[in-house]
Amino acid sequence: MTESGGHCKTVLMPRADKLLLLDTASLYFRAFYGVPDKVTAPDGSPINAVRGLLDIVAKLVTLYEPTHVVACWDDDWRPQWRVDLIPSYKSHRVLEAVPAGPDVEEVPDPLEAQIPLIRETLGLLGIPIIGVAEHEADDVIGTLATHATMPVDIVTGDRDLFQLVDDARDVRVVYTARGMSNLEIITDSVVVAKYGVLPSQYADFATMRGDASDGLPGVAGVGEKTAATLLQAHGDLTGIRAAAEAGEGMSAGVRAKVLAASDYLDVAPTVVAVATALEITAPDAALRPLDPSEVDAATAVAEKWNLGTSMTRAIAAVATTGD
């Protein structure tokens, strides 16, 4: 506040830089299942995922006040190089195998039909979409978060991305698994409290535990508690395997399980770890209020597709980034 002529004048300070990285598919799947499918365009086309995603974007931008937003995209949701290492990787989600790749993911037809409009509406809001050939959105997120020069919030329902959490670099996960009305901020201490491991140990923890939703078998007979205990004692997977080979630092039963999983443990860490060094040229343009012609264009699309107040809220949220 400053005083001038006896009157107080409000001075708005510019926002501190912050990057919001969207695990886009995670969010549009959530939107699709969270908004009733009776919500349709005038021609009867489904638009529930589009409206739901716009509402999610509006909420996130309002709540976390980013200056930069990137919609990270699965250019390949099941990269062949990961499948080559672990053939079961996401195999239960394959609708159609494509020899030249990428395989076709099982996505409900009413959602698949909305993806082009999702991409269009993000563009209308000035939110860039970034994907990388032969890589998942997780890998795009991993690279952008690792090389960011500002604080980062990663929005996802995928706990694999907990491996990127880093208090020292101000990288957090906004975890959506319990719903958009019950978002959870994941920091170093939260990962430790939940799992008994540091974020830097999380990928090794996930490798041992396995994940049925991704087709990762894990080490047979080793659950979260044992995996955490081993990491606390030996630091990382390399240390655990060395201790098992030496026959020390764990029970005979656990040692046998670790040794029996040797072939899996040779390859799984490469599959589980998100890429952090992809060649990505991230747009350096900050999120900004739309100019009148851009508002008109977004409003016209909203009217055509019955996006209603969802687009209005998204436009309004983006407008606050100029404060």
Side-chain angles (χ1 to χ4, degrees):
M1 303 281 283
T2 60
E3 291 190 8
S4 176
H7 297 285
C8 288
K9 179 182 178 181
T10 300
V11 177
L12 296 175
M13 300 299 293
R15 289 184 179 181
D17 283 350
K18 181 194 287 186
L19 174 61
L20 189 73
L21 297 176
L22 307 178
D23 182 1
T24 316
S26 170
L27 296 178
Y28 67 59
F29 267 93
R30 175 167 292 281
F32 176 74
Y33 289 109
V35 178
D37 59 9
K38 64 183 179 182
V39 178
T40 61
D43 66 357
S45 301
I47 46 90
N48 56 329
V50 185
R51 288 189 63 156
L53 184 64
L54 287 170
D55 286 336
I56 287 171
V57 168
K59 176 168 184 170
L60 293 170
V61 170
T62 302
L63 194 57
Y64 299 110
E65 301 188 332
T67 53
H68 298 69
V69 180
V70 174
C72 301
W73 204 266
D74 285 316
D75 273 16
D76 190 337
W77 68 279
R78 188 177 182 247
Q80 188 60 44
W81 57 270
R82 283 189 164 111
V83 177
D84 288 344
L85 295 173
I86 298 182
S88 62
Y89 183 65
K90 295 186 177 180
S91 60
H92 60 294
R93 288 158 53 184
V94 175
L95 178 65
E96 178 186 351
V98 180
D103 291 335
V104 178
E105 183 179 12
E106 186 173 6
V107 177
D109 289 344
L111 172 56
E112 186 74 38
Q114 296 179 66
I115 291 175
L117 185 56
I118 286 171
R119 292 183 67 99
E120 182 180 358
T121 55
L122 289 170
L124 289 166
L125 293 171
I127 296 174
I129 296 170
I130 297 180
V132 175
E134 300 180 354
H135 287 83
E136 301 172 54
D138 286 8
D139 301 311
V140 176
I141 291 169
T143 296
L144 293 177
T146 299
H147 297 281
T149 57
M150 62 186 76
V152 178
D153 282 343
I154 299 164
V155 187
T156 184
D158 184 356
R159 56 185 178 171
D160 285 344
L161 291 170
F162 291 178
Q163 63 188 274
L164 297 172
V165 170
D166 186 346
D167 283 3
R169 296 191 58 252
D170 208 354
V171 177
R172 315 183 302 176
V173 164
V174 179
Y175 192 43
T176 64
R178 296 191 297 180
M180 291 305 299
S181 61
N182 197 13
L183 297 171
E184 185 177 11
I185 300 297
I186 307 297
T187 59
D188 286 10
S189 62
V190 174
V191 176
V192 172
K194 280 180 176 288
Y195 303 108
V197 299
L198 296 168
S200 59
Q201 297 172 305
Y202 189 84
D204 285 347
F205 172 79
T207 295
M208 286 189 288
R209 176 198 63 205
D211 190 339
S213 67
D214 280 340
L216 297 174
V219 176
V222 172
E224 291 193 351
K225 185 175 181 180
T226 300
T229 300
L230 290 171
L231 284 166
Q232 290 162 9
H234 304 291
D236 57 19
L237 195 51
T238 300
I240 292 169
R241 297 186 73 183
E245 291 285 353
E248 58 189 29
M250 64 190 72
S251 70
V254 171
R255 174 176 181 260
K257 292 169 183 175
V258 172
L259 295 176
S262 181
D263 289 347
Y264 166 76
L265 292 175
D266 284 343
V267 297
T270 303
V271 175
V272 174
V274 301
T276 57
L278 300 181
E279 291 188 11
I280 298 175
T281 302
D284 55 11
L287 196 65
R288 59 171 180 78
L290 304 186
D291 65 32
S293 65
E294 291 167 331
V295 171
D296 288 345
T299 301
V301 169
E303 290 175 352
K304 176 182 178 181
W305 291 102
N306 187 31
L307 302 181
T309 55
S310 297
M311 179 64 89
T312 304
R313 283 191 288 269
I315 293 171
V318 169
T320 67
T321 60
D323 291 348

